[in-house]
Amino acid sequence: MTATKVGIREFRASLADYIASDTPVAVTRHGQTVGFFIPAKADLSAEVAALQSAAATLDALIEEQGLDVEELMEDFKAARREARR
């Protein structure tokens, strides 16, 4: 697998794309290679399963308490605004 050469500005601007890619990247500055980025693929299935479980638990708690999701969101947004002050 050969590395793709990109300038540092392009690399910074497209970092999310390079992270999602399987291709190593040679990062250049003024035409000189200054480093390499080698994306590491991780198995995220455990994290996804944990998030799905947490979402199901939250949904059950909201239903059990008879709460309105829209009201909860508005309360949350108001609390965040207040915390920033």
Side-chain angles (χ1 to χ4, degrees), residues 20-76:
S21 172
D22 290 331
T23 306
V25 177
V27 181
T28 63
R29 184 177 197 181
H30 303 294
Q32 299 293 320
T33 300
V34 294
F36 293 92
F37 173 75
I38 302 170
K41 292 295 178 185
D43 181 8
L44 300 177
S45 59
E47 286 87 349
V48 170
L51 286 172
Q52 289 172 333
S53 175
T57 301
L58 181 59
D59 288 342
L61 287 170
I62 289 170
E63 185 175 330
E64 179 183 295
Q65 297 294 316
L67 302 172
D68 179 50
V69 175
E70 296 302 320
E71 287 180 26
L72 284 174
M73 289 304 300
E74 288 305 317
D75 290 347
F76 176 75

